[in-house]
C-alpha cells in the first residue's frame, strides 16, 4: 500500500462573535488557500481549523484521552456485552474489527491535521509580509510547528517501537510538507530528532514574542476583563495562551519526550525551568491547582494546565460514556474496590482532594464515575467565557506532570522530595518524604491517579516497559502489545 498526503482544503469560520470565540469556533465554509493567506484573519482561521481537528472525537476529543487509549492502559470497567469491540482493544487484539477501525481513524486524523499545519507553515514563510506584526507572526508560526511536533510525538508513542530495550525496530513517516508524493519514513532516532528540531524552532520563535513572558496564564485567560486585569495585547489572538500552543507548552513537550527517551538529565533541567518560571514582575507563571479548582467544579484543573483544548463538544462526546443520560445507560466506571484499594492504594482518601473527582452513581450499585469532564446544567447560566476556559477543558499537559518528571529524574532523593512534598500538599495529602525504594512505585501510582481519563498511562507503561499493568490479570504485557500496527493502507516497510 502507498502512503499519500493529498492536498487538504482548510475548513474555517468566517464570523466571530466575541474576543474569545475562537475557543468555540465551528467550521462552516471552505476557503481557497490562495485567498485565505492574503489576510491575517485567514491565517488565524487556518490555525483555528487545526485546533478543531485536535478536538475531534478521533483525537483528543475522546479516543486519545478518555476511551481507546485508556482501554489500552486497562482502565475502565463496563458491561462486556456492549463493549466487546473495546475489549478487543483492551486485549491488544489489534487485528480485530474495532481496534483496526479505531487505529485507522486516529492515524488518518493525525496526518490530516499535520497536513493542515504544513500548509500554514509553508504560507507563513512565503507570505511573511501579510502578517505585519512581528510578535503575531512569530507566535502563529511557532504554534503551527508545535502542533506538528506534538502530533508526530503521539504517533511515535502509539505506533513507534519501544523507546528502550526493545527488539523490534519501527520506521514511521514524518510529514514536513504538503505533497502528493510519498512521505519519507524515518528510523526511531531520526524521527525523534525531527520532533526535537520542530520543537526547537518553535521555542526560538516563541522567545521574546509569546505574551507569557510578560503575563501569567491567568491574566491572559482574562485579558478582556479590564476591570480586574491590566493586560495590553497587540492582537486579541495573543490571549488565551493556555488554550493554544505556547512557549511553556513547547518546553513541557520537550520534557515529556526526553522522559520517553530515558534522557533524565535533559528532562529534569526543563522541568525545573517550568516549575520555577516567573513573569517580568517575579510572579509564578503557573501554580498547582489544588482544592481551588475542584471547589469551583473545575474538575479538569484548568488553572494548572500548561496546554489544554477548549472543546464545546465535550459533553456530547461523553454522553453515555462517562455519565448516564438514562437509567439504562451503559457507562464506564470503577468499582469501589478499584477506586479505593487500587487507585488510591497506600494513600488516605479522607482529605485527598482528588477523591472529589469521582462520584458514586446513585442507582444502588457501587459504580464510581469520573467527574473530570462534567458540565454545568443548563439552568446554571454559566457565562460563555467561563464555560470555554474553565469547564469545557481537555487537558493535554498539566503542571502536575512536570512535577512528576522532576520527582522521577531528580539527581538526589532530597531534590526529589523537594518537589514531592509540595506536590502532595497541593493534593491536600500530608505526605512523608519518599524513601529511595518507594520512589518509582509512587510515581507510577501518581501518574494513574492524576491522569485517569487524560490518556497518559499507556505511554507511561510503554516507556517503562511495564509487564504487569494494574487490572491486566490474564497475562503479562509484551513488546507486541505496546507497538500498535500501522493501518493496512500504509506502506509496510517495517
Amino acid at each position: 500500500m502507498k502512503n499519500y498526503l493529498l492536498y487538504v482544503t482548510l475548513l474555517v469560520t468566517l464570523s466571530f462573535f466575541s474576543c474569545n470565540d475562537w475557543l468555540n469556533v465551528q467550521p462552516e465554509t471552505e476557503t481557497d488557500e490562495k485567498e485565505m493567506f492574503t489576510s491575517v484573519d485567514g491565517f488565524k482561521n487556518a490555525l483555528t481549523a487545526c485546533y478543531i481537528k485536535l478536538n475531534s472525537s478521533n483525537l483528543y476529543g475522546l479516543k486519545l484521552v478518555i476511551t481507546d487509549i485508556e482501554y489500552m492502559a486497562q482502565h475502565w470497567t463496563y458491561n462486556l456485552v456492549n463493549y466487546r469491540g473495546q475489549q478487543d482493544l483492551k486485549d491488544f487484539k489489534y487485528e480485530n474489527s474495532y481496534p483496526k477501525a479505531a487505529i485507522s481513524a486516529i492515524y488518518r486524523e493525525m496526518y490530516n491535521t499535520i497536513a493542515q499545519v504544513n500548509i500554514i507553515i509553508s504560507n507563513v514563510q512565503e507570505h511573511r509580509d501579510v502578517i505585519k506584526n512581528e510578535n503575531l507572526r512569530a507566535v502563529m508560526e511557532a504554534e503551527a510547528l508545535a502542533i506538528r511536533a506534538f502530533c508526530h510525538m503521539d504517533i511515535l508513542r502509539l505506533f513507534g517501537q519501544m523507546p528502550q530495550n526493545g527488539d523490534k525496530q519501527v520506521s514511521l513517516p514524518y510529514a514536513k510538507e504538503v505533497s502528493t508524493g510519498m512521505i519519507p519514513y524515518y528510523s526511531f532516532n531520526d524521527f525523534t530528532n525531527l520532533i526535537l528540531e520542530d520543537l526547537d524552532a518553535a521555542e526560538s520563535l516563541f522567545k521574546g514574542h509569546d505574551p507569557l513572558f510578560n503575563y501569567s496564564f491567568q491574566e491572559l485567560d482574562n485579558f478582556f476583563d479590564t476591570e480586574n486585569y491590566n493586560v495590553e495585547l497587540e492582537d486579541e489572538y495573543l490571549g488565551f495562551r493556555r488554550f493554544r500552543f505556547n512557549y511553556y507548552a513547547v518546553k513541557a513537550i520537550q520534557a515529556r519526550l526526553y522522559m520517553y527517551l530515558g534522557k533524565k538529565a535533559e528532562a529534569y533541567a526543563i522541568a525545573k525551568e517550568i516549575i520555577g518560571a516567573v513573569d517580568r514582575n517575579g510572579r509564578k507563571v503557573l501554580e498547582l491547582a489544588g482544592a481551588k479548582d475542584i471547589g469551583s467544579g473545575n474538575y479538569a484543573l484548568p488553572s494548572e494546565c500548561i496546554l489544554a483544548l477548549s472543546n464545546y463538544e465535550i459533553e456530547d462526546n461523553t454522553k453515555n460514556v462517562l455519565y448516564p443520560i438514562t437509567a439504562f445507560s451503559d457507562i464506564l466506571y470503577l468499582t469501589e474496590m478499584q477506586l479505593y484499594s487500587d487507585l488510591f492504594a497506600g494513600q488516605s482518601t479522607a482529605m485527598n482532594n482528588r477523591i472529589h473527582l469521582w462520584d458514586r452513581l446513585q442507582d444502588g450499585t457501587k459504580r464510581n464515575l469520573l467527574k473530570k469532564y462534567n458540565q454545568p446544567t443548563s439552568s446554571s447560566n454559566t457565562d460563555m467565557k467561563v464555560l470555554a476556559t474553565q469547564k469545557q477543558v481537555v487537558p493535554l499537559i498539566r503542571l502536575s506532570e512536570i512535577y512528576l518528571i522532576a520527582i522521577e529524574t531528580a539527581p538526589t532523593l532530597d531534590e526529589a522530595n523537594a518537589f514531592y512534598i509540595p506536590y502532595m500538599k497541593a493534593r491536600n495529602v500530608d505526605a512523608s518524604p519518599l524513601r529511595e525504594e518507594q520512589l518509582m512505585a509512587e510515581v507510577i501510582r501518581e501518574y494513574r491517579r492524576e491522569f485517569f481519563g487524560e490518556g497518559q498511562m499507556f505511554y507511561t507503561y510503554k516507556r517503562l516497559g511495564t509487564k504487569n499493568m494494574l487490572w491486566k490479570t490474564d497475562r503479562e504485557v509484551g513488546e507486541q502489545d505496546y507497538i500498535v500496527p500501522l493501518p493496512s493502507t500504509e506502506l509496510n516497510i517495517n
Side-chain angles (χ1 to χ4, degrees):
M1 292 288 186
K2 294 184 178 179
N3 180 350
Y4 288 103
L5 265 189
L6 299 178
Y7 174 86
V8 178
T9 301
L10 295 177
L11 294 171
V12 301
T13 284
L14 300 180
S15 60
F16 293 84
F17 302 102
S18 69
C19 62
N20 74 320
D21 276 344
W22 64 264
L23 290 167
N24 293 310
V25 71
Q26 301 181 52
E28 295 172 353
T29 63
E30 295 182 356
T31 299
D32 181 78
E33 180 187 347
K34 291 183 180 178
E35 180 184 343
M36 176 183 296
F37 296 114
T38 59
S39 70
V40 175
D41 283 345
F43 279 96
K44 292 178 183 178
N45 290 337
L47 267 169
T48 297
C50 296
Y51 288 99
I52 291 170
K53 296 292 287 183
L54 293 174
N55 264 321
S56 153
S57 61
N58 285 326
L59 297 181
Y60 304 98
L62 196 65
K63 290 183 185 297
L64 288 180
V65 177
I66 298 167
T67 55
D68 294 22
I69 194 68
E70 293 289 76
Y71 300 141
M72 294 162 66
Q74 309 306 303
H75 289 179
W76 300 123
T77 299
Y78 41 70
N79 183 345
L80 183 57
V81 172
N82 297 320
Y83 283 86
R84 291 195 183 279
Q86 290 84 343
Q87 184 64 36
D88 283 342
L89 198 53
K90 206 169 189 177
D91 290 338
F92 309 118
K93 294 178 179 178
Y94 298 127
E95 72 282 1
N96 288 0
S97 58
Y98 180 90
K100 283 180 71 174
I103 290 164
S104 179
I106 291 168
Y107 189 87
R108 180 178 62 252
E109 204 84 38
M110 276 290 201
Y111 278 104
N112 187 263
T113 305
I114 291 167
Q116 294 196 21
V117 294
N118 281 339
I119 292 172
I120 297 168
I121 293 167
S122 173
N123 279 277
V124 78
Q125 292 170 351
E126 184 177 348
H127 304 293
R128 303 186 70 83
D129 57 316
V130 172
I131 311 172
K132 300 188 183 304
N133 184 292
E134 183 182 359
N135 288 331
L136 182 61
R137 183 175 63 244
V139 165
M140 294 177 82
E141 184 176 358
E143 283 186 32
L145 286 164
I147 293 171
R148 184 167 76 186
F150 185 83
C151 290
H152 278 109
M153 179 174 164
D154 274 1
I155 288 166
L156 177 77
R157 294 198 296 173
L158 192 60
F159 298 96
Q161 66 195 56
M162 299 295 287
Q164 299 168 61
N165 304 318
D167 293 323
K168 182 178 179 181
Q169 295 184 341
V170 178
S171 297
L172 294 170
Y174 201 101
K176 296 195 71 169
E177 58 186 37
V178 178
S179 171
T180 56
M182 192 173 68
I183 309 168
Y185 279 63
Y186 295 89
S187 68
F188 181 84
N189 288 338
D190 289 342
F191 194 94
T192 55
N193 285 337
L194 287 169
I195 298 173
L196 289 169
E197 285 177 13
D198 275 345
L199 291 172
D200 288 344
E203 179 186 352
S204 296
L205 286 163
F206 276 130
K207 276 184 178 176
H209 299 289
D210 194 324
L212 283 168
F213 288 101
N214 296 323
Y215 303 106
S216 69
F217 279 99
Q218 182 177 352
E219 288 173 312
L220 292 167
D221 282 351
N222 296 279
F223 72 91
F224 49 84
D225 182 359
T226 55
E227 290 185 12
N228 298 301
Y229 295 91
N230 183 24
V231 178
E232 295 182 7
L233 296 177
E234 298 163 289
D235 192 289
E236 289 180 348
Y237 184 91
L238 296 173
F240 302 112
R241 297 311 302 156
R242 194 190 310 273
F243 297 95
R244 289 191 178 272
F245 284 78
N246 59 74
Y247 174 80
Y248 292 107
V250 166
K251 299 303 294 182
I253 297 165
Q254 289 171 337
R256 179 184 278 180
L257 181 56
Y258 283 129
M259 277 301 296
Y260 192 71
L261 300 176
K263 297 184 177 182
K264 293 187 174 183
E266 292 89 339
Y268 182 65
I270 295 173
K272 282 185 65 177
E273 176 189 340
I274 295 170
I275 292 169
V278 296
D279 64 18
R280 63 180 178 182
N281 296 312
R283 296 169 299 190
K284 275 289 190 75
V285 173
L286 270 171
E287 298 275 9
L288 287 166
K292 185 176 180 181
D293 272 354
I294 293 174
S296 300
N298 301 332
Y299 299 119
L301 307 185
S303 68
E304 74 168 48
C305 286
I306 302 173
L307 176 65
L309 295 173
S310 181
N311 190 332
Y312 67 92
E313 293 183 322
I314 192 64
E315 184 172 23
D316 289 337
N317 288 353
T318 55
K319 279 180 181 176
N320 271 340
V321 176
L322 294 185
Y323 62 94
I325 57 174
T326 72
F328 305 102
S329 298
D330 187 13
I331 50 173
L332 305 174
Y333 63 93
L334 289 186
T335 65
E336 295 279 277
M337 179 69 71
Q338 289 170 322
L339 181 63
Y340 291 103
S341 297
D342 295 339
L343 194 62
F344 287 95
Q347 196 172 98
S348 171
T349 57
M351 300 298 291
N352 194 321
N353 56 36
R354 288 173 297 188
I355 201 66
H356 300 297
L357 299 177
W358 295 88
D359 196 15
R360 181 187 286 190
L361 186 60
Q362 300 301 312
D363 63 352
T365 67
K366 293 184 178 180
R367 293 187 291 174
N368 292 276
L369 310 186
L370 183 65
K371 298 195 295 183
K372 191 168 285 185
Y373 302 104
N374 281 15
Q375 298 299 303
T377 61
S378 57
S379 61
S380 62
N381 296 319
T382 305
D383 181 88
M384 289 299 294
K385 295 185 184 70
V386 172
L387 276 176
T389 61
Q390 298 178 37
K391 307 296 183 181
Q392 298 168 342
V393 175
V394 178
L396 295 184
I397 307 178
R398 292 195 283 115
L399 186 61
S400 54
E401 180 178 352
I402 305 305
Y403 267 84
L404 289 175
I405 289 173
I407 293 164
E408 184 177 346
T409 59
T412 68
L413 188 60
D414 286 343
E415 289 177 80
N417 279 311
F419 292 107
Y420 176 71
I421 299 300
Y423 164 82
M424 294 307 298
K425 185 178 180 180
R427 272 51 186 147
N428 207 31
V429 176
D430 187 15
S432 301
L434 291 170
R435 299 188 303 274
E436 193 72 52
E437 65 272 17
Q438 294 177 300
L439 192 145
M440 274 309 300
E442 186 60 21
V443 165
I444 293 169
R445 291 193 194 104
E446 281 302 315
Y447 268 93
R448 198 179 292 120
R449 294 170 188 139
E450 277 292 307
F451 309 119
F452 205 106
E454 293 184 30
Q456 294 305 315
M457 200 63 218
F458 177 79
Y459 304 131
T460 303
Y461 284 140
K462 185 171 180 176
R463 75 172 171 85
L464 296 171
T466 301
K467 292 183 178 180
N468 296 299
M469 290 183 177
L470 181 64
W471 301 318
K472 179 68 173 170
T473 58
D474 59 326
R475 63 175 176 84
E476 289 186 342
V477 180
E479 182 178 20
Q480 74 282 357
D481 303 313
Y482 282 118
I483 303 174
V484 177
L486 296 178
S488 57
T489 53
E490 294 308 294
L491 179 67
N492 186 6
I493 64 171
N494 294 304

